Amino acid sequence: MPLLEPDPQALRPGRERTPAPDRVPDLHAKGTSRRLREELTGILGPGKVLGRISDLVRYASDASPYRFVPQVVVVAEDIDDVSAVLSYAHGKGREVVFRAAGTSLNGQAQGEDVLVDVRRHWAGVEVLDGGARARIRPGTTVVRANAALAPTGGSSAPTPPARSPARSAGSSPTTPRA
């Protein structure tokens, strides 16, 4: 295989599937199944479960060349939501993928079952030890993290090409400047 040729099968361990055609498969045409949507809404409350076909397609891609349509998208507001989704998925034998970075160039911010978005409600930077360390929440953009660290002379991970949309969850720890 040539060096830069994508291999979508590498992201589907243990599953033999053919690449999806450009249109959304028929099984997704009506969005999330009523049962799945009702179960998750019953656990998390209204407004946190996205299941329209337009929602699923919107989350089917990141910055990679891959497209995996999730069965449902959950917008987690806090640790209780994350815990509830993980407990539900464990009990039902479902797979969970977190979308924090969302600008992944390798497809790891996508999944074909339950996708949990922690970008919207999980942003913020806490500068510690005069900038030697920082606690950066997964929904924080690299630009915002660097802006918070700039007064101390520190910066977060090397800046990816897509700085503005890139989130801290896909970056390495803070590195102080000498």
Side-chain angles (χ1 to χ4, degrees), residues 11-176:
L11 298 175
R12 296 181 173 134
R15 295 183 179 203
E16 294 296 319
R17 297 188 179 152
T18 58
D22 193 38
R23 74 175 259 214
V24 174
D26 291 339
L27 75 110
H28 294 297
K30 294 182 181 178
T32 301
S33 72
R34 181 177 171 196
R35 180 177 177 184
L36 177 57
R37 194 173 56 247
E38 287 176 353
E39 287 176 351
L40 285 169
T41 300
I43 294 167
L44 301 167
K48 297 180 183 180
V49 179
L50 307 178
R52 297 177 311 192
I53 186 61
S54 59
D55 297 324
L56 303 181
V57 169
R58 181 169 45 125
Y59 281 89
S61 298
D62 54 12
S64 74
Y66 308 108
R67 182 174 83 166
F68 300 115
V69 181
Q71 296 294 313
V72 66
V73 175
V74 172
V75 179
E77 291 183 6
D78 53 34
I79 194 70
D80 292 333
D81 289 348
V82 171
S83 178
V85 170
L86 291 175
S87 293
Y88 170 82
H90 178 73
K92 298 286 186 174
R94 302 194 75 107
E95 297 173 359
V96 176
V97 171
F98 288 87
R99 171 72 61 90
T103 57
S104 162
L105 299 177
N106 298 314
Q108 68 266 36
Q110 300 168 268
E112 294 180 301
D113 199 355
V114 179
L115 191 146
V116 180
D117 185 344
V118 293
R119 294 177 297 178
R120 188 178 307 164
H121 302 287
W122 294 70
V125 179
E126 181 182 0
V127 178
L128 306 166
D129 303 329
R133 297 182 313 124
R135 182 171 291 127
I136 304 172
R137 297 189 68 172
T140 305
T141 63
V142 172
V143 169
R144 184 172 172 194
N146 284 338
L149 291 164
T152 67
S155 68
S156 68
T159 307
R163 280 194 301 232
S164 188
R167 308 282 172 164
S168 66
S171 303
S172 63
T174 301
T175 52

